[in-house]
Amino acid sequence: MRIITLNVNGLRSAASKGLFDWLPRQEADVICVQELKAQQGDISGVMRAPDGYSGYFHCAEKKGYSGVGLYTRYSPDQIIEGTGIPEIDMEGRFLRVDFGNLTVISIYLPSGSSGEHRQAAKFFFMEHFLPLLQSLAECGREVLLCGDWNIAHKAIDLKNWRSNQKNSGFLPEERAWLSTVFDELKLVDVFRKINPEPDQYTWWSNRGQAWAKNVGWRIDYQIATPGLAAMATGVSIYKAERFSDHAPLTIDYDFTL
């Protein structure tokens, strides 16, 4: 089973940069996308149903903002849009799809970088999402949460960690929350389980020469229950082409849908 996750920073923008020429060649079983910046009516043609795939989407109420989606070759047993928490769901940040004993979720945590009000929204999300994460961790299913969590967990996960310790995405409270997800809920950062190397990033600022100099952050994750994480066989971050300011994260699992 091959799973890809990518923050597209605008589905139409990513499409114009060749995303849907690239995707079918990857032979992925499930592709999770975030930051659609589109409403249902904006998603048509290849953006809704790439060759061989069906697409499902949870859009934000606000136009041109947030939203998550998921493409799959298989017919889901169940599709759940949203968390049941109105303040989160109005921003289109959670889409769950079940296949047999496997749950795959496309997830997009808020960014707090635009101001204190958005950091407050991020902390609200973290507080209210944690019980749902606990229930997923304990549900007895194999669960995979794919997406942009907008938090770099450790110093190895961003280039300029010293100068970012007071910035959203690397605040002590955010990092401690993610440690709770890994250490107490026992969910697994699958990429780090396989690849312990530094300089592995999935997002680069558009300012300066961040991309060219690989001054990035690893904020896109595939986070899994331990049983599924143990089946991971290979990971990669695709950088040969750029579809957005994020890079696709691909992980293969010895698991059959």
Side-chain angles (χ1 to χ4, degrees):
M1 178 178 71
R2 173 167 291 175
I3 309 288
I4 298 174
T5 187
L6 170 64
N7 178 317
V8 294
N9 193 12
L11 189 62
R12 288 164 289 184
S13 173
S16 72
K17 295 173 183 175
L19 175 63
F20 293 102
D21 296 324
W22 176 80
L23 268 184
R25 301 197 302 267
Q26 306 315 302
E27 299 183 346
D29 295 287
V30 181
I31 301 137
C32 295
V33 290
Q34 303 85 40
E35 202 169 0
L36 303 177
K37 295 184 176 179
Q39 306 302 115
Q40 289 285 354
D42 301 321
I43 305 170
S44 61
V46 71
M47 291 188 294
R48 180 168 295 277
D51 187 23
Y53 293 90
S54 297
Y56 306 91
F57 308 94
H58 179 39
C59 301
E61 294 179 9
K62 180 180 176 181
K63 290 186 177 181
Y65 183 72
S66 190
V68 293
L70 187 150
Y71 299 100
T72 176
R73 296 180 182 276
Y74 305 95
S75 297
D77 299 324
Q78 177 176 233
I79 303 164
I80 299 174
E81 291 186 23
T83 62
I85 304 166
E87 294 90 338
I88 292 175
D89 295 343
M90 66 184 293
E91 295 189 349
R93 297 189 177 277
F94 180 97
L95 180 63
R96 169 180 170 169
V97 177
D98 291 348
F99 310 91
N101 194 46
L102 174 69
T103 290
V104 181
I105 296 166
S106 186
I107 182 79
Y108 180 36
L109 270 71
S111 167
S113 60
S114 62
E116 291 184 5
H117 68 295
R118 290 310 301 166
Q119 188 63 46
K122 188 175 186 179
F123 283 143
F124 177 92
F125 185 106
M126 290 159 56
E127 177 186 354
H128 290 83
F129 189 53
L130 194 64
L132 177 55
L133 277 176
Q134 183 169 1
S135 68
L136 288 166
E138 296 173 351
C139 71
R141 301 174 57 82
E142 297 297 353
V143 178
L144 180 61
L145 298 114
C146 299
D148 178 359
W149 292 62
N150 266 310
I151 302 170
H153 186 215
K154 297 183 178 180
I156 193 176
D157 295 318
L158 71 167
K159 191 70 168 183
N160 294 329
W161 66 270
R162 288 184 178 86
S163 59
N164 278 294
Q165 293 178 83
K166 295 183 179 180
N167 292 333
S168 183
F170 200 59
L171 295 174
E173 304 97 310
E174 296 171 336
R175 298 167 62 201
W177 181 84
L178 208 47
S179 290
T180 297
V181 172
F182 298 140
D183 298 340
E184 296 183 22
L185 302 188
K186 304 302 182 184
L187 295 172
V188 180
D189 177 356
V190 182
F191 180 88
R192 270 290 172 241
K193 180 179 184 297
I194 293 179
N195 188 329
E197 299 300 319
D199 303 320
Q200 306 294 309
Y201 309 125
T202 61
W203 175 79
W204 299 261
S205 170
N206 287 321
R207 298 174 184 171
Q209 297 292 313
W211 168 261
K213 296 178 180 179
N214 197 29
V215 179
W217 297 54
R218 191 178 70 90
I219 55 176
D220 301 271
Y221 295 82
Q222 294 193 26
I223 295 176
T225 43
L228 183 61
M231 300 180 199
T233 59
V235 300
S236 64
I237 297 170
Y238 181 74
K239 295 173 63 179
E241 300 170 79
R242 293 200 77 188
F243 309 116
S244 79
D245 51 352
H246 294 249
L249 169 63
T250 302
I251 301 185
D252 291 328
Y253 299 85
D254 186 13
F255 184 96
T256 302
L257 276 175

